[in-house]
Amino acid sequence: MSEPLVLRDDADGVCTLTLNRPDKRNAINRELFREFRAHIRDIEEGVGDAGLVVITGAGEHFCAGHDLKSPPHADALGWLRQEMLIVERLTKLRQPVIAKVRGTCYTGGLELALAADFIVCGTSARFADTHGKWGLVPGWGLSQRLPRRVGQAKALEMMLTCQPYSGEEAAAMGLANYCVADEALDAKVAELTALILGNSRHSNAENKRLIYDTDGMGIAAGLNHELMRNAGFDPAMRKKGEPIAAAKRAV
């Protein structure tokens, strides 16, 4: 039986999904994507005890994007829509999502990383949008998420030049939250996950929802949304002032 194309590991509230085609720099084909979709559905349905999700790649690379050597789907547009909807569902998970990036993070791989809430990379990371090299346009949200991360001018620069950017450059432009030495990457992600999981899962989920739901709203509409769609206190809190650690596993 062949090895899974997406590995799932759960430990201490962290669900790690690892793209597992290291010989192809974790390029995404339909079989890999189907496995990825199944894992996202499981997380949505509460399979396991995930308070946070980490997306990464096996070996030395995060993801080289779509595998352009794979034969196209008979309904290419319909399949692209399925992919786009699953990537959007990754963003909408109640759990915070971290993309842990080493090596190549190109095109579809960059779109996948952008769908995460945080990008943490090593100095070996290289980020690029190469749609233009292949006569393609984004279909996983890059034209929307990239300018929201780095600004319109920098997003256009990345998309129109197709040039790669280092991990340090990614952090400087705000594409990555942190860039550290490769050998320190696991420790940095562990530090960040510990900080996040040390807080209420209820608060983490609702704060994330408020940020995304009000994206693009004017201040008045955003304030009204925060008030009228407020989820209130963590139901696991037994009394005001109790340490969050006692309730942090509540969803």
Side-chain angles (χ1 to χ4, degrees), residues 4-157:
L5 296 175
V6 180
L7 306 173
R8 174 171 176 170
D9 177 70
D10 288 85
D12 300 322
V14 179
C15 170
T16 301
L17 299 180
T18 303
L19 309 183
N20 190 34
R21 294 185 77 204
D23 56 321
K24 302 293 185 181
R25 293 190 298 168
N26 301 311
I28 300 168
N29 58 14
R30 286 200 296 278
E31 291 76 17
L32 184 151
F33 194 84
R34 289 188 180 102
E35 292 186 25
F36 185 78
R37 176 176 61 189
H39 285 299
I40 297 303
R41 288 173 173 171
D42 284 347
I43 295 168
E44 288 176 327
E45 293 169 6
V47 177
D49 183 39
L52 185 146
V53 177
V54 174
I55 309 292
T56 192
E60 298 178 356
H61 299 279
F62 179 74
C63 178
H66 278 84
D67 187 344
L68 298 180
K69 293 182 179 180
S70 296
H73 194 282
D75 179 11
L77 186 58
W79 179 252
L80 178 62
R81 177 171 173 77
Q82 286 191 52
E83 293 178 322
M84 181 272 289
L85 290 173
I86 291 297
V87 172
E88 181 64 9
R89 284 163 65 178
L90 172 65
T91 296
K92 289 185 175 180
L93 288 175
R94 287 179 59 80
Q95 294 88 347
V97 180
I98 298 173
K100 182 170 73 172
V101 178
R102 289 185 177 90
T104 300
C105 183
Y106 279 15
T107 318
L110 176 57
E111 291 185 288
L112 188 61
L114 285 166
D117 303 307
F118 305 93
I119 298 174
V120 183
C121 70
T123 50
S124 68
R126 294 295 180 269
F127 298 88
D129 173 37
T130 64
H131 282 99
K133 286 186 178 293
W134 304 96
L136 302 171
V137 294
W140 283 13
L142 184 138
S143 70
Q144 300 305 302
R145 293 191 177 97
L146 184 59
R148 284 171 168 78
R149 289 256 188 174
V150 303
Q152 186 181 81
K154 201 65 178 181
L156 280 169
E157 178 187 308

Side-chain angles (χ1 to χ4, degrees), residues 197-209:
L197 289 175
N199 300 317
S200 161
R201 290 191 183 185
H202 169 82
S203 296
N204 287 342
E206 293 304 323
N207 288 338
K208 174 177 171 175
R209 180 185 62 80

